[in-house]
Amino acid sequence: MTMSQGRVPVVMYHSVGPKKPGWRWNHLVTPLEVFDSQMRALAERGWTTLHLEELHDHITGRRPAPERSVVLTFDDGYADNWTHA
């Protein structure tokens, strides 16, 4: 199956923003500059972000997703996801 046949990638971020000195989970942080670059690259290449409800509608056959659709998810609900992403 190709993207044009209905696949929608889901990209998961754990934490977005500056690394925290001494925090043992810094390896899970996507630096803001990297996140910005990734979002810019998606936009420049014509990708559209979907809400999870739109993905559900696509999976269940209620509504097709636009070409080049992607879903972004953010694990754990850290405040930095809200303030930076």
Side-chain angles (χ1 to χ4, degrees), residues 1 10 12 20 22 34 45-46 60 69 77 81-82 84:
M1 182 182 280
V10 177
M12 193 278 293
K20 301 166 185 117
V34 172
R45 288 164 180 81
T60 59
S69 291
N81 292 332
W82 176 257
H84 297 297

Side-chain angles (χ1 to χ4, degrees), residues 1-65:
M1 182 182 280
T2 66
M3 292 295 282
S4 63
Q5 293 172 310
R7 288 189 179 191
V8 176
V10 177
V11 181
M12 193 278 293
Y13 293 92
H14 185 73
S15 181
V16 176
K19 294 192 182 244
K20 301 166 185 117
W23 193 47
R24 70 183 284 198
W25 302 109
N26 273 326
H27 63 283
L28 299 175
V29 177
T30 301
L32 187 55
E33 309 79 48
V34 172
F35 180 78
D36 284 344
S37 175
Q38 292 170 348
M39 295 305 103
R40 231 180 343 274
L42 287 171
E44 289 169 358
R45 288 164 180 81
W47 286 84
T48 300
T49 55
L50 299 180
H51 293 277
L52 289 177
E53 182 178 336
E54 293 170 310
L55 177 63
H56 179 266
D57 287 349
H58 172 68
I59 291 170
T60 59
R62 291 186 189 147
R63 179 171 43 141

Side-chain angles (χ1 to χ4, degrees), residues 60-76:
T60 59
R62 291 186 189 147
R63 179 171 43 141
E67 286 288 321
R68 293 185 179 236
S69 291
V70 63
V71 173
L72 306 176
T73 65
F74 299 88
D75 187 30
D76 289 340

